[in-house]
Each structure stands twice: as C-alpha cells, then as structure tokens.
Amino acid sequence: MKLGVNVDHVATLRQARQGNDPDPVTAARVCERAGAYAIVMHLREDRRHIQDSDIFRAKAVLGIKFNLEMSLAPSVVKIALKLRPQQVTWVPEKRQEMTTESGLDLLSESSRFARSMEMFRRKKIEVSCFIDPDPKQIILAKKLGAGAVEFHTGLYANQKTKRGVQRQLARLRLAVDLARQAGLVAHAGHGLDYQNVAAIARISGLKELNIGYSIISRAVWVGLETAVKEMNALIRS
Ligand code: PXP
C-alpha cells in the first residue's frame, strides 16, 4: 500500500501568521525523504491554506508524484492545467466546511464533468474522482473517463461501534472490487489515523491512501519524518 501525504495543515499553521513558516514545500520534501509515495496539496478557492506559489514550487522540487486536490472552479482549473501535475483529484468544495465532507456527486452536472475531463485528458493529467463508496458514482466515474477514484473513508472513520466499522469496511471492500472490475485504480482517504488505518490498508486492491491531518498532528510530537515512517510501517503489508 502506498502513502500519499497531504501537507495542507502545515500551510494552515503558516497562514495563522501569514508568514513563511512552516513551509509546506519543505514539509513535502521531508515526507519524500521519509518514504512517502506521493504529496497531496489542496488548492482551495478561498486559499485558506495552500497558496498558488506552493503548488508551483512543490511541482518543481519533488521527485515523487504530486497530486493536486481541486474543485472544478474555472479559476482553479486554469491553474491546474498550467501546473500539469501527475494527478489531480477532483473534490467537492463548500466555503463553510472545515474539511471535504463528502464525495463528489458525479450525477449532477455530468456534462460539466465530461467537458473538464476532456481538458485534463488533452494535457495528459491523470484524473481521480473523490467519491463515496457508491456503485452509481463508480460507474459514472468510469463513464466520464477517470483513471482512478478515491473513496471517502470519513464515514468509516466516524463509526463508534464495531458493527458500524464492519459495515463500512464491507461497503468499501465492495466498492474497491467494483472499481477494479471497471478498470479504475482505487485509492482511499479522509479521517484515517494511526488507530483506524490498518483495517483499510488490508483491503485487497486498494493502491494508495491519502492521509493528512493525523500525520501532521503526530509530527508535532515526534517530528514529520518519524510520523511519516510510522504511518508507512502501519500500511505496508
Ligand atoms: N483525500 C481527500 C480527497 C481529501 O479531501 C482529504 C482532506 O483534505 C484527505 C484525503 C485527507 O484527509 P485527512 O486530512 O482527514 O487525513
């Protein structure tokens, strides 16, 4: 299982004082050195953490996969097409939310998704759609021409009972199987931490986990390099 580290919250801390420290690009390089497979940054429309210059600097210095998380706001699409990262992950974005609360609804505005897909395809940028583990969304992601899907694990992470956890794991397993049968690469992420990640990492067919908040929080106590290594040790089978 491969680890994508989301460094948005390093930028959250920097933005608290609007200065230069801590720098998310330096953090990304530390993650690379510690064995991360990919770096994720989310360029939000409100620029609450990652800034335009961060993604261009990151793309220039990283030797590993750069995955830009983004909404389909026209101004952000323009920047993504200019940046040309190896992968973009399309996510829904609401101004008031604390984090990405749900997956995309590909059924709504599917012609807009199709038009955007064509633009990214022409630039040879891999598109992953962040969706709930819902068969309808998986089929539509394939129809639209996505190469990958990332399953939202937030509901799994929020379960308080063993039964609830098992139910969400079963749902995710089915979704991964369906995605693979459809020819999609399956990723997962959101709300994963050092306690709940192992069961997700055991799902056969999942290729990559994208994890941010728990790693950056752990880094406060043990340092970022150790936090990444600890997470990698948990997900590597
Ligand atoms: N994957 C996607 C698509 C996300 O939007 C986020 C949150 O930015 C993550 C993964 C990482 O979630 P967390 O910070 O809860 O680990």
Side-chain angles (χ1 to χ4, degrees):
M1 182 69 71
K2 291 168 174 166
L3 175 64
V5 181
N6 179 319
V7 295
D8 292 351
H9 292 305
V10 177
T12 301
L13 190 55
R14 177 192 61 190
Q15 295 311 104
R17 290 291 164 95
Q18 311 262 313
N20 296 320
D21 287 321
D23 175 26
V25 179
T26 306
R29 296 191 78 179
V30 171
C31 295
E32 175 175 10
R33 199 168 64 222
Y37 171 76
I39 296 299
V40 188
M41 290 185 180
H42 184 175
L43 186 71
R44 280 187 168 265
E45 246 189 302
D46 63 9
R47 305 296 196 272
R48 67 172 73 158
H49 38 51
I50 294 295
Q51 307 296 306
D52 301 34
S53 61
D54 296 329
I55 60 173
F56 284 94
R57 285 188 303 123
K59 170 82 193 313
V61 300
L62 288 174
I64 53 177
K65 173 165 128 179
F66 185 48
N67 173 5
L68 179 71
E69 242 186 73
M70 57 178 288
S71 71
L72 286 181
S75 60
V76 177
V77 169
K78 203 169 153 198
I79 293 168
L81 293 173
K82 187 172 166 209
L83 178 73
R84 294 182 71 173
Q86 288 91 335
Q87 186 189 307
V88 289
T89 302
W90 291 354
V91 300
E93 204 175 292
K94 293 188 216 120
R95 203 53 68 87
Q96 303 307 332
E97 68 189 353
M98 255 196 286
T99 179
T100 317
E101 284 160 1
S102 63
L104 286 167
D105 180 7
L106 296 172
L107 294 166
S108 73
E109 300 188 272
S110 56
S111 56
R112 183 164 162 242
F113 286 116
R115 279 197 305 279
S116 306
M117 192 65 79
E118 182 53 26
M119 289 193 265
F120 283 87
R121 203 187 57 74
R122 267 194 249 125
K123 294 270 185 184
K124 299 193 173 22
I125 302 169
E126 174 89 347
V127 173
S128 174
C129 295
F130 188 48
I131 56 175
D132 293 322
D134 170 351
K136 284 200 290 292
Q137 301 293 338
I138 298 167
I139 302 301
L140 204 46
K142 179 63 188 174
K143 262 198 196 148
L144 286 167
V149 284
E150 179 176 335
F151 292 117
H152 196 309
T153 47
L155 195 55
Y156 158 79
N158 286 337
Q159 295 304 307
K160 302 278 181 262
T161 63
K162 265 192 185 165
R163 200 155 157 248
V165 167
Q166 290 312 322
R167 201 178 304 139
Q168 293 309 320
L169 280 173
R171 201 171 159 229
L172 284 159
R173 275 188 216 106
L174 278 176
V176 171
D177 284 346
L178 184 56
R180 292 189 69 209
Q181 281 161 26
L184 291 160
V185 179
H187 306 310
H190 207 282
L192 298 178
D193 61 27
Y194 294 83
Q195 281 72 46
N196 67 19
V197 78
I200 294 289
R202 282 196 293 270
I203 296 179
S204 146
L206 261 185
K207 282 280 172 283
E208 203 175 303
L209 299 180
N210 292 312
I211 306 178
Y213 183 75
S214 64
I215 292 177
I216 305 306
S217 302
R218 177 95 182 122
V220 171
W221 309 117
V222 300
L224 185 53
E225 196 161 342
T226 302
V228 170
K229 284 182 177 162
E230 286 178 355
M231 186 57 84
N232 243 339
L234 286 171
I235 72 171
R236 278 214 175 119
S237 44

